[in-house]
Amino acid sequence: DTEVTQTPKHLVMGMTNKKSLKCEQHMGHRAMYWYKQKAKKPPELMFVYSYEKLSINESVPSRFSPECPNSSLLNLHLHALQPEDSALYLCASSQVPASTNEKLFFGSGTQLSVL
Amino acid sequence: RKEVEQDPGPFNVPEGATVAFNCTYSNSASQSFFWYRQDCRKEPKLLMSVYSSGNEDGRFTAQLNRASQYISLLIRDSKLSDSATYLCVDHYYSSASKIIFGSGTRLSIRP
């Protein structure tokens, strides 16, 4: 069982909706990540939070807005998405940011469909 | 050139066979590497780290060749449960830490 919990597991939303994806870990990890994965493609990095501060934004459109309220929680706020944003959104955490042994632990993901 | 490249496969091998696949990386400053495995409709899970001296974990052996900038994964005595996509991961640090996934190699073990 994964120790990174993501909710919801599935989400269907219209292009005018506002929704949020949530991620939680209680392993004391200080780096948290959002990845996007399309079918038969590898995960693509979106955002990295290091010690609760945004350290990497991979030129993600502003309709995706990350938030890290504390060291255990990571949110991804969604607004005015497009159908091509439909994908599996994976949250991950790692123990120590910017270390050479930065092993990722993934949540089971949120399967998002934008209609 | 992609930062991390893998043969997408699929590799289709019989149970009990030995199978190996490689991954090449373009960033000579990359610091560490990992193999992850991803089952269909599941999240990636860490399989093993890759060290310059080589790393063995049961039936799995990972190697790193910095001179040629590739890593490899060898699976011996393959099991049906080894069927999955194997993702090569490159970690490097410049102004910030970045973890990049290769496109994955699909492995299918047949009875």
Side-chain angles (χ1 to χ4, degrees), chain B residues 53-102:
Chain B
S53 56
N55 187 22
E56 187 172 322
D57 182 3
R59 298 182 294 108
F60 298 83
T61 300
Q63 295 276 358
L64 166 62
N65 185 317
R66 285 199 181 273
S68 301
Q69 294 188 200
Y70 75 86
I71 70 172
S72 63
L73 180 67
L74 178 79
I75 305 175
R76 290 180 297 276
D77 187 23
S78 53
K79 313 290 185 191
L80 295 176
S81 57
D82 294 334
S83 297
T85 296
Y86 290 83
L87 298 157
C88 164
V89 174
D90 171 7
H91 171 221
Y92 69 90
Y93 185 83
S94 55
S95 56
S97 179
K98 291 189 74 171
I99 298 175
I100 304 297
F101 283 79

Side-chain angles (χ1 to χ4, degrees), chain A residues 2 33 35 37 41-43 45 48 55-56 58 88 90 98-104 106-108, chain B residues 31-32 34 36 38 42-46 49 51 87 91 93 96-104:
Chain A
T2 182
Y33 311 75
Y35 281 85
Q37 188 174 26
K41 297 289 187 182
L45 183 63
V48 181
S55 60
I56 293 177
E58 289 286 280
L88 179 68
L90 291 160
S99 71
T100 56
N101 199 23
E102 204 165 330
K103 299 174 183 176
L104 296 177
F106 282 89
S108 54
Chain B
Q31 296 168 317
S32 53
F34 305 90
Y36 282 74
Q38 186 171 25
K42 299 282 189 180
E43 73 275 16
K45 292 188 177 178
L46 179 66
S49 304
Y51 304 125
L87 298 157
H91 171 221
Y93 185 83
S97 179
K98 291 189 74 171
I99 298 175
I100 304 297
F101 283 79
S103 55

Side-chain angles (χ1 to χ4, degrees), chain A residues 34-106:
Chain A
W34 281 114
Y35 281 85
K36 172 183 176 179
Q37 188 174 26
K38 302 280 260 184
K40 299 189 178 184
K41 297 289 187 182
E44 293 179 13
L45 183 63
M46 299 175 72
F47 302 105
V48 181
Y49 273 83
S50 176
Y51 297 104
E52 296 87 69
K53 295 206 183 313
L54 184 65
S55 60
I56 293 177
N57 176 341
E58 289 286 280
S59 302
V60 180
S62 60
R63 58 186 184 269
F64 296 91
S65 176
E67 179 196 19
C68 190
N70 59 55
S71 60
S72 300
L73 295 174
L74 184 66
N75 299 322
L76 186 63
H77 303 297
L78 314 173
H79 174 54
L81 294 194
Q82 304 296 311
E84 60 264 29
D85 296 322
S86 298
L88 179 68
Y89 287 84
L90 291 160
C91 172
S93 69
S94 65
Q95 189 171 26
V96 179
S99 71
T100 56
N101 199 23
E102 204 165 330
K103 299 174 183 176
L104 296 177
F105 293 82
F106 282 89

Side-chain angles (χ1 to χ4, degrees), chain B residues 9-34:
Chain B
F11 286 64
N12 189 323
V13 302
E15 195 174 7
T18 296
V19 61
F21 25 85
N22 290 340
C23 165
T24 58
Y25 61 94
S26 60
N27 189 345
S28 58
S30 295
Q31 296 168 317
S32 53
F33 305 89
F34 305 90

